[in-house]
Structure formats: structure tokens, C-alpha cells
Amino acid sequence: MRDRPARVSDVHEIAASMPHVKRIEGPKGNPIYQVGGKSFVFFRTPQPDAADPDTGERYSDVVMIWVESESDKLALIQDPKSPFFTTERFDGHPSVLVRGSEIGAIGKTELTELIQDAWLSRASTRRAERWLAEHGG
């Protein structure tokens, strides 16, 4: 079976399907997915660090996804075919950014793995070990 392009709705579905997840709303109603009080997927509000280079209009569809390490982040943002990016504001922060309008550049399978890894990077050791044991990790 061929993988289909990822959708923003998949981000919500996958993040919400992970154990012990709480969806909260940011101050402007933006969804934030947390495990144990730690965010792992964060729908950003328009910010000056992520804007159209020609018009200056702030992107309204940026999703921040945590990664386990700086090397994981670099692998994602340095691939020229990847829709992932970062900004100076996130130098040293274990996360990548992706525009919802470009998320279809990856498949649902890759998105699933990325969000599962984001959850694992933020979950407690006990929860992460249990999840990995149950999912053959």
C-alpha cells in the first residue's frame, strides 16, 4: 500500500492518539499537545520569525514539532526535499517547524514517526519505555 501525503488533520489525529496526551489551547486558541505537562506538538500563532520573504506576511499555519536531538533536527532541516525549517529564534531548541500548507511533502507514515518520536522525547522515561515495549521499539 502506498503512503499518502500527510495532512494537518493527521497531526491532530496522531498527536491525540498517543497515551497520556492532553490537548490544551494556547492564549489565542491554538492547539498544543502535551504529555506530562510537556509540549511535543505546538500549533504556533503568526510570529515575525516565520513570514513570507516577499510580502512579510506572517505565516498562520506553522506547526512546531519537538525532536530528540540537534542531529535529528539538522537531518530534517538540511534535506532540500524536506518541508521542515527552523528560525534563529529556535537555535538550540529541540524542534522543527513545518507549514501546514507544505506538510503534504511528506507521507503520513513519516509524519507518524516524527510525532511518535516527539512524544517519546517529552514523555517520562517510564511512559516512553512502556510505549516502546508495546510497539516493538
Side-chain angles (χ1 to χ4, degrees), residues 53-124:
D54 297 324
T55 67
E57 183 178 346
R58 296 175 181 182
Y59 297 138
S60 61
D61 64 343
V62 176
V63 182
M64 181 168 61
I65 303 173
W66 267 252
V67 294
E68 188 161 351
S69 69
E70 187 70 15
S71 61
D72 291 333
K73 177 179 184 168
L74 291 174
L76 288 167
I77 64 173
Q78 290 179 342
D79 179 350
K81 295 177 281 188
S82 168
F84 299 103
F85 68 100
T86 192
T87 67
E88 285 184 13
R89 180 176 178 182
F90 292 97
D91 283 352
H93 191 271
S95 64
V96 293
L97 305 173
V98 63
R99 293 192 60 203
S101 60
E102 297 178 6
I103 205 161
I106 63 168
K108 184 180 179 191
T109 301
E110 182 178 350
L111 179 65
T112 300
E113 291 170 1
L114 186 67
I115 292 174
Q116 288 171 344
D117 287 348
W119 182 91
L120 286 165
S121 76
R122 305 293 284 167
S124 68

Side-chain angles (χ1 to χ4, degrees), residues 5-24:
R7 302 178 188 129
V8 172
S9 60
D10 295 328
V11 176
H12 293 284
E13 178 187 317
I14 298 161
S17 74
M18 296 303 292
H20 308 287
V21 167
K22 181 176 182 181
R23 177 184 162 155
I24 63 170

